[in-house]
Amino acid sequence: VIESEDPDNLQFPEFLPVSRKEFDAFFKEFLNDENYGKRISSQISSATEKLSSSIGSRKIVISLWNAKDLNSHSSPVITELLFKIQNNKLFLTAQIASNEAFNHFLLNGFALRKLQQQFLDELNKKLEKQALCIDIGAMVLNIQSAHIFEADFSKSEEIVKQNFSKILHLRENYFDPRGNFVIYLSQGKIVLEHLSPDNQLLYMFDALTAYEL
């Protein structure tokens, strides 16, 4: 869930494996890609038109998946974008079949956040006649398979070792209003705690392996 990232001022701390320059190049390619940008742009006009005329609609779905993609070697991993308005904010839920988490999670996440803003800008143009203006809301990424390649294991570990302590003091700002899962090691076991929004322990699970957990 991304709630406060400003799509017009994306932040790229130096420890991230991708830079702003790399993202700008990726986003330009993303917008021109047959499987992504072109499929999305071909549906934005009708989607914003429908949403502007029916603010409460839950049918605003942009599909990136075609039946022919089933047998394609270059099918899109981002398969569906769902837009809806709640409390005067535009929310986006993206369905992602598979995502490499070391580099492409960041690239795809930032790209979708900027697309959410572009969709919002187009929507607000159509809402002007109704004297309405919608703000940007949260973005949710539902990833069915998130993974890191073995070649990136050591780089991922090094980033955590060098930078986790520097941002640890910000941990309280990361608390999710819907509650949190906290995972840690204790006495040779993996422990998972489910905390409520007010930081109360709801459930605790432990196991020797992630598979068991």
Side-chain angles (χ1 to χ4, degrees):
V1 179
I2 298 174
E3 295 185 309
S4 58
E5 192 73 39
D6 182 355
D8 293 325
N9 187 29
L10 297 172
Q11 300 300 303
F12 293 84
E14 61 180 20
F15 61 80
L16 288 184
V18 297
S19 66
R20 183 180 299 276
K21 182 178 180 180
E22 289 171 320
F23 171 72
D24 288 343
F26 171 85
F27 189 57
K28 183 177 180 179
E29 183 177 333
F30 183 93
L31 292 176
N32 292 304
D33 191 281
E34 293 288 343
N35 286 337
Y36 296 102
K38 291 189 176 180
R39 293 189 188 188
I40 294 170
S41 62
S42 67
Q43 301 175 68
I44 283 183
S45 180
S46 58
T48 53
E49 186 64 41
K50 174 65 177 179
L51 189 55
S52 67
S53 63
S54 182
I55 294 293
S57 177
R58 295 296 181 264
K59 299 179 180 180
I60 312 304
V61 177
I62 289 180
S63 177
L64 285 76
W65 185 263
N66 292 326
K68 64 181 181 181
D69 291 324
L70 191 61
N71 297 311
S72 172
H73 294 296
S74 60
S75 56
V77 297
I78 301 170
T79 59
E80 182 180 276
L81 305 177
L82 171 64
F83 295 89
K84 64 181 178 182
I85 294 175
Q86 288 183 326
N87 300 323
N88 208 47
K89 292 184 177 182
L90 177 73
F91 291 81
L92 166 61
T93 299
Q95 299 292 342
I96 303 177
S98 178
N99 208 179
E100 183 276 309
F102 186 69
N103 289 297
H104 278 84
F105 170 75
L106 297 167
L107 294 171
N108 285 332
F110 285 154
L112 289 172
R113 187 62 166 171
K114 288 186 74 69
L115 280 172
Q116 183 182 9
Q117 183 64 57
Q118 291 182 2
F119 187 100
L120 178 62
D121 292 341
E122 186 69 24
L123 176 65
N124 276 329
K125 288 179 183 177
K126 295 177 178 177
L127 289 173
E128 286 180 351
K129 60 184 74 174
Q130 302 178 43
L132 293 175
C133 184
I134 304 298
D135 295 322
I136 195 165
M139 179 180 76
V140 177
L141 304 181
N142 289 331
I143 304 172
Q144 304 306 311
S145 174
H147 51 274
I148 296 178
F149 294 129
E150 187 174 353
D152 293 321
F153 282 179
S154 60
K155 288 182 282 187
S156 303
E157 186 176 10
E158 193 63 25
I159 287 174
V160 173
K161 284 183 177 179
Q162 292 187 6
N163 297 280
F164 183 71
S165 61
K166 299 176 184 177
I167 63 173
L168 188 59
H169 68 285
L170 300 175
R171 184 176 178 181
E172 62 181 9
N173 295 328
Y174 297 155
F175 198 84
D176 192 318
R178 289 165 292 273
N180 266 6
F181 288 102
V182 178
I183 303 172
Y184 58 91
L185 296 176
S186 177
Q187 298 180 346
K189 290 186 176 182
I190 304 171
V191 181
L192 183 149
E193 295 180 352
H194 183 195
L195 304 179
S196 68
D198 59 353
N199 213 27
Q200 300 299 308
L201 179 64
L202 299 176
Y203 302 100
M204 178 185 290
F205 307 93
D206 62 48
L208 291 173
T209 69
Y211 182 81
E212 292 177 39
L213 192 60

